[in-house]
Amino acid sequence: EPDIDFKTIAYNYGFNLEFPKEVLEELKKFSNEVTYEDKIGRVDLTDERVFTIDRKDCKDMDDAISIKRKEDGGYILKVHIAHVSHYVKYDSAIFKDAFERGTSYYLLNKVFPMLPKELSNGICSLNEGVDRLTRTVIMEYDENGNQIDYRIVKAVINSKKKMTYSNVNKILEENIIPNGYEPFEKDLKTAYELTSKINKNKVSQGKLDFDSSEQEIIYDEKE
C-alpha cells in the first residue's frame, strides 16, 4: 500500500475518525443478526430472488432489487432499502454523531464511514445470504413501462447474490454469463428491459436526466 497518511489527510479536512464513547456504548446493545422480534409485523420476502449491484470492493450494500414479469406482460419491481432507522433511533448518540458527520467519506481505497462499521457493514448492510430489515417499495408497471401502482412496506429480505457492475455489464452488453450468475440472467435482462421502457417514457414526457458517472482511481504499490 502506498505510503499515504490517510489519517492526517482526513483530520485536515475536518473528519473525525474516532467514534465517541457514547456511540460505542450504544453499539453494545445491537445484535449482529436479525432477531425474531425484529421480524414481527414485517412482510417476509426472504424467499424472493433479491440481489445487490455495487462496486467489487463495496462492503456497505444499502439497496437491492427483485423483479418479476406478470402474466399480462407487465412487471412487479421491488426496491429494498436498508431500514437503518430501525436501529439508529432519532436523538440517540449514534444518530447525533451521524448527523454531525453528514456522510461517509471515500479517499482512494479508504472509507471513513458515517456509521460505525458494525452497523454500516453489518446489520444495516444487505449482505448476501443473511436476513436483513428493509423498507421496500413494491411497484407495478404495465407492459409499456407505465407505473400503475405502488406501496411501501416494512420487510425482511435475504439477498441471494452480491453482484458487481462489471459482471452485470458482461451479461447485458456481451451476453457473457459469469460463474454464479446463471440463476439471475433472466431477472437482470427483465430489469434492463423495464429500465429501457421507463427511460423511453421519460424522454417522451420531456424529463431531464441528471445521471452522472462515478470515477474510480485504481492504483498499486508502485503508484
Side-chain angles (χ1 to χ4, degrees):
E1 183 174 287
D3 186 18
I4 300 175
D5 189 347
F6 291 101
K7 290 185 177 181
T8 298
I9 295 173
Y11 280 125
N12 285 342
Y13 280 91
F15 193 82
N16 184 9
L17 304 184
E18 307 298 330
F19 288 95
K21 62 179 181 180
E22 294 84 3
V23 168
L24 300 179
E25 283 297 317
E26 281 190 357
L27 284 176
K28 295 178 181 179
K29 69 181 182 182
F30 295 120
S31 171
N32 59 4
E33 60 185 25
V34 173
T35 65
Y36 172 80
E37 289 75 18
D38 290 330
K39 299 179 183 181
I40 295 175
R42 290 178 176 267
V43 178
D44 187 347
L45 301 177
T46 53
D47 289 336
E48 293 217 356
R49 204 159 45 243
V50 173
F51 52 89
T52 61
I53 307 176
D54 289 283
R55 304 180 314 277
K56 181 175 65 175
D57 58 346
C58 182
K59 296 179 180 179
D60 54 340
M61 282 74 71
D62 50 18
D63 52 65
I65 70 166
S66 51
I67 191 167
K68 292 181 180 178
R69 194 77 191 264
K70 297 166 57 182
E71 291 184 1
D72 64 4
Y75 307 82
I76 296 178
L77 170 66
K78 296 185 178 78
V79 176
H80 315 277
I81 308 297
H83 195 177
V84 178
S85 63
H86 177 85
Y87 299 98
V88 182
K89 301 299 185 183
Y90 179 76
D91 219 29
S92 64
I94 297 175
F95 177 93
K96 292 176 180 177
D97 184 70
F99 184 85
E100 288 296 323
R101 294 171 187 269
T103 186
S104 298
Y105 289 82
Y106 297 83
L107 180 61
L108 293 181
N109 67 334
K110 297 293 183 181
V111 180
F112 305 117
M114 181 176 69
L115 295 173
K117 67 181 188 305
E118 290 85 352
L119 295 179
S120 61
N121 295 1
I123 197 64
C124 292
S125 179
L126 307 183
N127 299 330
E128 179 182 328
V130 291
D131 289 354
R132 288 292 183 259
L133 306 182
T134 63
R135 294 298 297 269
T136 293
V137 185
I138 303 174
M139 292 166 280
E140 188 174 348
Y141 293 85
D142 65 20
E143 60 182 343
N144 297 315
N146 298 302
Q147 189 181 99
I148 56 179
D149 194 19
Y150 81 94
R151 61 192 178 102
I152 302 173
V153 301
K154 294 180 179 179
V156 187
I157 68 164
N158 188 302
S159 175
K160 301 301 183 285
K161 184 69 175 175
K162 177 186 177 182
M163 300 188 185
T164 65
Y165 292 125
S166 58
N167 281 340
V168 169
N169 285 337
K170 285 180 181 179
I171 295 173
L172 300 179
E173 297 176 2
E174 305 174 46
N175 206 31
I176 297 173
I177 315 300
N179 185 39
Y181 281 70
E182 294 85 357
F184 307 93
E185 177 188 3
K186 183 177 179 181
D187 290 346
L188 286 169
K189 290 184 176 179
T190 298
Y192 184 71
E193 182 180 272
L194 176 58
T195 298
S196 299
K197 292 179 179 180
I198 292 173
N199 287 339
K200 182 179 179 180
N201 290 338
K202 286 182 177 180
V203 172
S204 67
Q205 295 166 11
K207 294 182 179 179
L208 300 177
D209 184 2
F210 292 101
D211 190 24
S212 61
S213 59
E214 292 185 7
Q215 293 186 348
E216 183 176 0
I217 299 175
I218 301 174
Y219 71 96
D220 58 29
E221 65 276 3
K222 296 179 181 179
E223 295 181 314

